[in-house]
């Protein structure tokens, strides 16, 4: 069974940076996608960034493009992905979730069948 453990969420002021981390273990897929999603209170979950194994260029949501970097390290036995976000804004406030899907997926939630518990990011002005 795939297990996902997220960390790094915090309360910060506008303009600061954060790095979120997610470690996945037990992945059995030869081809898979790992992604960060976020869900602001009362809103739908949205994709933030994805990485692939085997590697392909990552995808970023327009809302974080240019101020975020996603990185991956490891194998399907244990894979860690990090999301570094700069110049944080109040609209980045959300619960951030890590997820895994078989195959190559995009920023939509369809196909992701393993999810972490989430880590809260709060950005105050």
């Amino acid at each position: 069974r795939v297990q996902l453990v997220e960390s790094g969420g915090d309360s910060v002021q506008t303009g600061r940076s954060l790095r979120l981390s997610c470690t996945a273990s037990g992945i059995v897929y030869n081809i898979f996608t790992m992604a960060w999603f976020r869900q602001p209170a009362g809103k739908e979950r949205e994709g933030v960034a994805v990485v692939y194994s085997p590697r392909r260029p990552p995808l970023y949501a327009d809302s974080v493009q240019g101020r975020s970097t996603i990185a991956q390290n490891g194998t399907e036995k244990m894979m860690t992905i990090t999301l570094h976000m700069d110049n944080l804004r109040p609209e980045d406030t959300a619960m951030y979730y890590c997820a895994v899907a078989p195959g190559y997926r995009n920023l939509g939630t369809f196909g992701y069948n393993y999810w972490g518990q989430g880590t809260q990011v709060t950005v105050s002005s």
Side-chain angles (χ1 to χ4, degrees):
R1 177 175 174 81
V2 177
Q3 291 188 312
L4 299 166
V5 180
E6 302 121 324
S7 63
D10 203 352
S11 295
V12 298
Q13 291 187 320
T14 297
R16 302 300 291 268
S17 299
L18 269 182
R19 187 171 74 172
L20 306 180
S21 181
C22 172
T23 297
S25 59
I27 297 174
V28 297
Y29 311 122
N30 292 325
I31 300 172
F32 62 92
T33 303
M34 281 187 72
W36 283 102
F37 290 82
R38 67 186 182 185
Q39 187 166 17
K43 297 185 179 181
E44 293 187 354
R45 194 168 296 189
E46 60 182 12
V48 177
V50 304
V51 289
Y52 302 102
S53 180
R55 290 178 186 255
R56 284 184 169 183
L59 293 179
Y60 295 94
D62 290 344
S63 58
V64 302
Q65 179 79 50
R67 60 187 183 95
S68 296
T69 303
I70 188 169
Q72 63 191 108
N73 186 39
T75 68
E76 67 278 5
K77 292 183 179 180
M78 186 166 289
M79 177 75 77
T80 296
I81 64 170
T82 57
L83 179 67
H84 186 97
M85 296 188 293
D86 293 319
N87 192 22
L88 285 162
R89 308 163 180 170
E91 53 264 39
D92 294 317
T93 295
M95 184 69 79
Y96 284 71
Y97 297 92
C98 179
V100 171
Y104 294 118
R105 301 288 178 178
N106 57 23
L107 290 165
T109 58
F110 179 79
Y112 289 87
N113 49 9
Y114 294 103
W115 294 84
Q117 294 299 307
T119 186
Q120 178 69 36
V121 173
T122 303
V123 184
S124 57
S125 57

